[in-house]
Amino acid sequence: MSSRKIALVTGASKGIGAAIALTLARDGFDIWLNYRSDHAAAAEVARQVEAAGASCRLVCCDVADASAVKETLGPLLENESPEVLVNNAGHAKDTLMVWMGEDEWKDVLSVHLDGFFLVTKLVLVGMLKRRSGRIINIASTSGQSGVAGQVNYSAAKAGLIGATKALALETAKRKVLVNAVAPGFIETDMVAGLPKEKIVPMIPLGRIGTPEEVAEVVSFLASDKASYITGQVIAVNGGIYL
Ligand code: NAP
């Protein structure tokens, strides 16, 4: 068995999660790479992770599906326990509240909050027993400021920030550190359809961020350098929300 520590990154077949998986692999972690549906993209990220010298285990499941999470992660956790968990899987279903269907409300809350709950609950046990671990939740500016057209997403990400702070308090004595990273606009599929010409002028740094710029902060929070940071929300947003 490898002596390298394991990092489990959810939603890592592309975008921010893929950049986090690759950065943590370069930092020396073996990667458990979760994703939901894009097998080809996940296999390509796994290839890059392995090229960086890490092992990569693909963990395909919907993080919001309790039995799928138990079936895929449960057996792995019988033998090994990640040192780092990055709860990144997510998506938005934007529409004004007056048009929002109950399915759009529940789906977005579920992927971010049920996903956080189901995966973290399983992985936390090993961290508490070992008395070490880092949990990093990918929130959003939307959960800090609120964004029109994202009542579901803002609620989910604000909820994730609350959960981050509460869990940080519960686990501090066992040296399990829990933080959130709150990205602003980041260049991924998620923002592909947005009008960049309207968004960029609103960003003080004058550009959309990159997945790698988010991954660097996660890398820091997962490292020994961040040993006195817990319960915090670190914004990576080009100054759009202060
Ligand atoms: P993305 O490029 O659309 O990638 C989303 C990833 O999440 C994919 O790997 C997808 O897997 C996975 N995923 C989605 N639903 C899932 C589920 N139910 N179970 C497991 N995996 C699931 O999105 P992104 O922009 O990188 O966003 C990543 C995280 O950052 C999200 O939590 C998002 O809310 C947050 N965020 C993004 C931005 C931004 O501007 N991009 C800003 C703030 C916060 P498959 O494709 O394989 O199905």
Side-chain angles (χ1 to χ4, degrees), residues 116 135-137 163-164 167-168 171 176-180 229-232:
F116 158 80
I135 298 171
I136 300 153
N137 299 320
T164 299
L167 186 60
T171 60
V176 177
L177 280 51
V178 188
N179 291 289
I229 301 176
T230 198
Q232 303 303 310

Side-chain angles (χ1 to χ4, degrees), residues 115-136:
F116 158 80
F117 175 79
L118 294 168
V119 176
T120 304
K121 199 167 153 61
L122 283 186
V123 173
L124 185 60
V125 179
M127 291 180 171
L128 293 174
K129 277 190 194 152
R130 196 177 52 238
R131 293 175 181 267
S132 78
R134 302 286 170 92
I135 298 171
I136 300 153

Side-chain angles (χ1 to χ4, degrees), residues 72-127:
T72 50
L73 263 185
L76 301 182
L77 292 167
E78 280 170 20
N79 303 316
E80 292 173 286
S81 164
E83 175 68 17
V84 172
L85 165 61
V86 184
N87 287 302
N88 166 80
H91 53 247
K93 288 197 173 167
D94 295 356
T95 185
L96 293 176
M97 177 82 175
V98 282
W99 306 119
M100 191 177 290
E102 204 178 325
D103 52 337
E104 289 160 322
W105 169 255
K106 285 191 173 156
D107 177 83
V108 171
L109 257 67
S110 184
V111 68
H112 296 104
L113 293 179
D114 295 343
F116 158 80
F117 175 79
L118 294 168
V119 176
T120 304
K121 199 167 153 61
L122 283 186
V123 173
L124 185 60
V125 179
M127 291 180 171

Side-chain angles (χ1 to χ4, degrees), residues 11-17 34-38 61-64 88-91 111-112 138-141 153 157 183-186 188-191:
S13 62
K14 61 190 60 146
I16 293 171
N34 162 262
Y35 67 105
R36 185 178 53 173
S37 59
D38 196 339
C61 72
D62 179 345
V63 294
N88 166 80
H91 53 247
V111 68
H112 296 104
I138 306 302
S140 169
T141 307
Y153 187 76
K157 292 302 196 182
F185 289 103
I186 304 298
T188 71
D189 288 356
M190 205 168 151
V191 301

Side-chain angles (χ1 to χ4, degrees), residues 28-61:
F29 290 94
D30 282 336
I31 304 297
W32 289 4
L33 189 161
N34 162 262
Y35 67 105
R36 185 178 53 173
S37 59
D38 196 339
H39 304 299
E44 172 54 22
V45 180
R47 191 194 61 72
Q48 292 176 27
V49 162
E50 283 166 359
S55 76
C56 188
R57 192 185 283 268
L58 293 177
V59 185
C60 178
C61 72

